[in-house]
Structures are given as C-alpha cells and as structure tokens.
Amino acid sequence: MGSPSCGLAAWGAPHILWLSSMADSSITLKHPRRITLVASIVEQLVEHIQNGSLQAGDKLPSERQLMKMLGVGRSSVREALQGLVMMGLVEMRPGHGSYVKTNLHSFIPDLSKPHLSDNLQREMRLQLIEARRMIEVEIAGQAASRASQAQLKNWRATFGDYVRYIDDFSDPRYLAAHADFHLSLADMTQNPFNVMLVKAAIQSVPQTLREREFSFPKSIDLQQLRENQVKLHRDIQRAVVNQDVAEARATMQAHMDFERNLVIKVYPATGDDG
C-alpha cells in the first residue's frame, strides 16, 4: 500500500460537493485517494472540525450523504466514522446519526491511532511541540531557581539511566528514564500542576511515534541523533544545577527546536502546507 503522506492538495482535481450543516456552516468534501481511502475521509472531516466548519454539537452528514459526496462505499464511510469515534472527536447516537462531540475543549488527540494520516500526524505533533514549548521552557527556568539539592541528586541518577539506555530507543528503561527526566524537572518547580501538565504532554507521544522517528527516514544518522539528544539533556541539566534561569530556558528552547526539526524530517511537508 502506498504512503498516506500526501496532503489534501495532492488529490488532483477533485469533484467538490457542498452540504449545509445543522449550524448553517458549509463544508466541502473531496473524492479521496483510493490508496488510503479511510485515512483520506478522516483527514477531511478532522480538518473541518479543526477549522470550525464543523463545530461541537453539529450533526455530520448521514452515511448515505457521505457515500454520495465522497463517491465511496458504505464500509469505507463506516470505518472512517469509527476512526473519528476512536479519536474522541465524534459520537454516534443510535437512531439519530453522528455528531461532533460537545467536549472538544478537553480533547487530547491519540497520536497512535492508525486512522491518522501522515499529514494530520505531522500537524498534531507540531502543535504538541508548540504546547510543550510554552510549558516546559518556563518550567526549566523555575526549576533552576527552586530545585532542592536532594531533587538534583535524584535527577542526576535519572540522567545517568537516560544515557545508559539510549542505545536502544525501544528499551522500556530508556523510555522511563526519558519521561522521568522531564517529570523530575517539573517536580523541581515545587508546583504539582506543572507535573500534571508535563505528564499529559508525555502521554500524548506514544512509543509508536518514537519507533517511527528513529526508523525513518533512513538518511537520519542514529548515532548522531543519540549524541545530540544526550547533549541537549545534559545542557538543560547543567543550567538547572548552576541555577542559571536564563540558560535553563534557552537550553529547553533548543530542545524543543530539535524535536520540531525531527518531526519535520520524519513527516515532510506536502504541497498543501504552503
């Protein structure tokens, strides 16, 4: 099966149909690429939810309408709707149809779901890094000014485990040490809500993302990648230990820049990204 990485503009000259939603907004759906049929349908509907064409509480077109609009069979439509349900974006009401969920403000996308196309995964991961930057840069600065000596001692041990197990990115000990590094940093701010925020961010990046990042593309030098990862985390640690608030923030910024660039390499921009 071909790669689902092509974006919306790569679908050629689509046949466009219009439908007025219950909220009097209009959405357009394009004939999906058959090599990734379900992912294409899901991608379009998610895009309309993201841009507000479909809002919380709106009713989606019926299965029959979607089949006509998209030019696909019922099984593809049903599988796509099930994918949206799994993602937490849509709820099905027996006898009434499918609706955009009303509690979207609390929605944290599960980036490991198989129905997410490369284009959507790239966008969501970049949004996640943007959110992490807003949170963790300030956390690094606060940790530099508030960390206790006991916390710093334990943090050094955590970093030692991180370096020890980084040769195997799929090793549960490495994954745990990496998570503990960032959670410990948040804990050093002496604010438990920071720990909750970082934990939510970490849980939004499943192991499947890490496996792909460190497997594709083949042009990525894994040894250099490991060395860069270790250096970034060591720089953050050094700044916090030295109680250098400005440097702690700067080194965390560099870490977020690195993560963003890595996602861009793994999920290259498609023609519709501008």
Side-chain angles (χ1 to χ4, degrees), residues 111-112 121 125 128-129 132 136 162 166 168-171 174-176 178-179 182 201-202 204-216 220 222 225 229 232-233 255-256 258-260 262-263 266-267:
L111 303 181
S112 66
Q121 290 189 47
R125 283 166 170 78
L128 175 60
I129 292 170
R132 287 187 61 193
E136 294 193 59
Y162 172 83
I166 197 172
D168 184 358
F169 291 118
S170 64
D171 189 329
Y174 161 75
L175 296 172
H178 184 233
H182 288 275
I202 290 173
S204 295
V205 185
Q207 183 176 347
T208 50
L209 169 60
R210 288 297 176 189
E211 289 173 349
R212 172 160 182 177
E213 283 180 347
F214 301 131
S215 299
F216 300 96
I220 292 180
L222 293 183
L225 183 61
Q229 289 273 29
L232 286 164
H233 289 80
H255 179 34
M256 294 298 108
F258 179 86
E259 290 289 311
R260 185 178 188 279
L262 186 57
V263 169
V266 176
Y267 298 91

Side-chain angles (χ1 to χ4, degrees), residues 31-32 36 59 89 122 154 156 168 176 182 210 266:
H31 187 77
T36 57
K59 183 177 181 180
L89 287 172
R122 178 181 188 269
N154 292 333
R156 291 189 184 96
D168 184 358
H182 288 275
R210 288 297 176 189
V266 176

Side-chain angles (χ1 to χ4, degrees), residues 195-246:
V195 179
M196 293 170 58
L197 290 171
V198 173
K199 185 175 182 179
I202 290 173
Q203 290 177 339
S204 295
V205 185
Q207 183 176 347
T208 50
L209 169 60
R210 288 297 176 189
E211 289 173 349
R212 172 160 182 177
E213 283 180 347
F214 301 131
S215 299
F216 300 96
K218 294 181 179 179
S219 58
I220 292 180
D221 185 333
L222 293 183
Q223 184 57 40
Q224 185 62 53
L225 183 61
R226 292 184 179 96
E227 292 175 2
N228 289 339
Q229 289 273 29
V230 170
K231 181 181 184 303
L232 286 164
H233 289 80
R234 180 177 286 117
D235 289 345
I236 294 169
Q237 185 183 54
R238 182 181 297 113
V240 172
V241 170
N242 291 337
Q243 298 182 312
D244 190 331
V245 174

Side-chain angles (χ1 to χ4, degrees), residues 174-195:
Y174 161 75
L175 296 172
H178 184 233
D180 285 346
F181 181 93
H182 288 275
L183 288 171
S184 297
L185 188 65
D187 188 49
M188 286 187 281
T189 66
Q190 316 304 332
N191 186 332
F193 290 100
N194 285 336
V195 179

Side-chain angles (χ1 to χ4, degrees), residues 8-269:
L8 299 177
W11 292 342
H15 179 59
I16 300 178
L17 293 166
W18 294 79
L19 181 78
S20 295
S21 72
M22 294 181 67
D24 295 327
S25 63
S26 295
I27 65 172
T28 62
L29 296 177
K30 309 169 187 177
H31 187 77
R33 295 181 297 121
R34 293 193 178 277
I35 55 174
T36 57
L37 202 58
V38 175
S40 298
I41 298 170
V42 170
E43 181 175 278
Q44 292 186 76
L45 292 172
V46 170
E47 181 184 18
H48 284 299
I49 293 172
Q50 288 181 325
N51 66 26
S53 299
L54 287 172
Q55 299 186 6
D58 282 356
K59 183 177 181 180
L60 270 64
S62 67
E63 288 186 2
R64 187 180 298 276
Q65 289 173 314
L66 288 172
M67 290 166 59
K68 182 178 180 181
M69 297 172 74
L70 294 161
V72 301
R74 186 179 300 275
S75 62
S76 296
V77 168
R78 287 183 174 176
E79 187 176 351
L81 291 175
Q82 286 294 335
L84 292 168
V85 171
M86 291 171 61
M87 292 167 64
L89 287 172
V90 167
E91 62 180 348
M92 292 184 177
R93 302 175 187 173
H96 296 279
S98 301
Y99 292 78
V100 180
K101 293 192 72 171
T102 56
N103 60 338
L104 289 182
H105 60 279
S106 62
F107 169 66
I108 298 179
D110 185 344
L111 303 181
S112 66
K113 292 302 181 186
H115 292 300
L116 287 179
S117 67
D118 279 12
N119 201 45
L120 279 175
Q121 290 189 47
R122 178 181 188 269
E123 180 181 355
M124 287 184 176
R125 283 166 170 78
L126 291 177
Q127 289 176 344
L128 175 60
I129 292 170
E130 180 180 66
R132 287 187 61 193
R133 188 190 300 274
M134 294 173 62
I135 297 167
E136 294 193 59
V137 169
E138 182 59 27
I139 282 175
Q142 289 181 2
S145 65
R146 301 176 183 177
S148 69
Q149 290 304 310
Q151 287 176 316
L152 291 173
K153 181 180 179 181
N154 292 333
W155 197 38
R156 291 189 184 96
T158 297
F159 180 69
D161 289 338
Y162 172 83
V163 175
R164 185 176 301 112
Y165 301 123
I166 197 172
D167 285 341
D168 184 358
F169 291 118
S170 64
D171 189 329
R173 294 171 297 182
Y174 161 75
L175 296 172
H178 184 233
D180 285 346
F181 181 93
H182 288 275
L183 288 171
S184 297
L185 188 65
D187 188 49
M188 286 187 281
T189 66
Q190 316 304 332
N191 186 332
F193 290 100
N194 285 336
V195 179
M196 293 170 58
L197 290 171
V198 173
K199 185 175 182 179
I202 290 173
Q203 290 177 339
S204 295
V205 185
Q207 183 176 347
T208 50
L209 169 60
R210 288 297 176 189
E211 289 173 349
R212 172 160 182 177
E213 283 180 347
F214 301 131
S215 299
F216 300 96
K218 294 181 179 179
S219 58
I220 292 180
D221 185 333
L222 293 183
Q223 184 57 40
Q224 185 62 53
L225 183 61
R226 292 184 179 96
E227 292 175 2
N228 289 339
Q229 289 273 29
V230 170
K231 181 181 184 303
L232 286 164
H233 289 80
R234 180 177 286 117
D235 289 345
I236 294 169
Q237 185 183 54
R238 182 181 297 113
V240 172
V241 170
N242 291 337
Q243 298 182 312
D244 190 331
V245 174
E247 184 64 15
R249 289 172 176 159
T251 52
M252 184 59 77
Q253 284 277 18
H255 179 34
M256 294 298 108
D257 289 341
F258 179 86
E259 290 289 311
R260 185 178 188 279
N261 290 335
L262 186 57
V263 169
I264 290 173
K265 286 182 180 179
V266 176
Y267 298 91

